[in-house]
């Protein structure tokens, strides 16, 4: 976090394969962990009528920026498993075995010229292009899997 940093941050929630499920935008001078609750709440769970259960995220992998006690309590209350490296205790190398998936997703999204650097003046336009880039990533993955 840099209080004087201009610009914006991309927030991406992805599945285990790296497909972007949900994207968001926040100001560049806000902390990363402030967008986590909104991303989790924005992720729609599906209901399976045959089995009578909801599909929700089972586990969350995140870096040390998300190591806050209130976030851990909130995720535990939501019954979501937490794999967050603790500040000053754990090395991020163990968590990095699965962290590369989201890093790859972020590089897919930032590969689109319109997103990096940000050319859009209004956040809603930037969010629309970010959503379009996420849809293109999913489409490219679908085409590659079906051919």
């Amino acid at each position: 976090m840099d209080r004087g940093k201009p610009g914006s941050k991309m927030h991406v929630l992805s599945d285990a394969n790296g497909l972007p499920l949900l994207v968001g935008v926040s100001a560049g001078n806000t902390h990363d962990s402030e967008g986590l609750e909104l991303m989790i709440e924005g992720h729609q769970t599906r209901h399976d009528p045959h089995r009578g259960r909801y599909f929700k995220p089972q586990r969350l992998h995140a870096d040390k920026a998300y190591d806050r006690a209130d976030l851990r309590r909130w995720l535990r209350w939501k019954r979501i498993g937490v794999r967050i490296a603790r500040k000053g205790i754990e090395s991020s190398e163990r968590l990095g075995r699965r962290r590369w998936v989201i890093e790859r997703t972020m590089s897919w999204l930032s590969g689109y010229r319109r997103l990096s650097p940000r050319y859009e003046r209004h956040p809603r336009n930037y969010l629309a292009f970010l959503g379009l880039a996420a849809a293109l990533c999913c489409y490219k993955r679908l085409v590659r899997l079906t051919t």
Side-chain angles (χ1 to χ4, degrees), residues 59-75:
R59 198 169 299 112
L60 175 76
H61 294 270
D63 59 3
K64 292 181 183 183
Y66 298 93
D67 184 27
R68 289 184 15 202
D70 60 326
L71 284 178
R72 286 181 182 272
R73 276 193 304 272
W74 184 77
L75 288 167

Side-chain angles (χ1 to χ4, degrees), residues 18-147:
L19 290 178
L21 300 173
L22 189 66
V23 293
V25 176
S26 69
N29 61 352
T30 60
H31 197 268
D32 292 338
S33 63
E34 292 179 13
L36 180 67
E37 288 184 24
L38 296 173
M39 295 297 284
I40 298 292
E41 288 293 331
H43 179 62
Q44 298 292 323
T45 58
R46 293 182 302 153
H47 180 68
D48 185 6
H50 301 293
R51 296 184 183 166
R53 66 178 194 170
Y54 286 92
F55 292 100
K56 64 175 183 63
Q58 293 178 350
R59 198 169 299 112
L60 175 76
H61 294 270
D63 59 3
K64 292 181 183 183
Y66 298 93
D67 184 27
R68 289 184 15 202
D70 60 326
L71 284 178
R72 286 181 182 272
R73 276 193 304 272
W74 184 77
L75 288 167
R76 206 173 308 126
W77 180 75
K78 291 288 232 178
R79 294 189 176 127
I80 298 173
V82 177
R83 289 281 298 149
I84 300 175
R86 296 186 186 274
K87 292 179 185 173
I89 298 173
E90 290 180 272
S91 170
S92 60
E93 292 173 3
R94 287 184 52 213
L95 196 60
R97 284 183 269 170
R98 291 189 178 81
R99 175 109 180 105
W100 69 270
V101 174
I102 191 66
E103 295 296 336
R104 180 185 63 185
T105 304
M106 296 296 281
S107 92
W108 286 345
L109 293 174
S110 63
Y112 289 96
R113 197 180 82 163
R114 191 72 183 214
L115 297 177
S116 180
R118 179 178 168 175
Y119 293 109
E120 303 305 317
R121 183 175 207 87
H122 297 288
R124 66 178 180 266
N125 294 344
Y126 184 70
L127 182 62
F129 281 118
L130 185 59
L132 184 61
L136 286 173
C137 288
C138 292
Y139 175 72
K140 286 180 180 180
R141 183 70 179 245
L142 179 68
V143 167
R144 190 171 44 168
L145 290 175
T146 58
T147 58

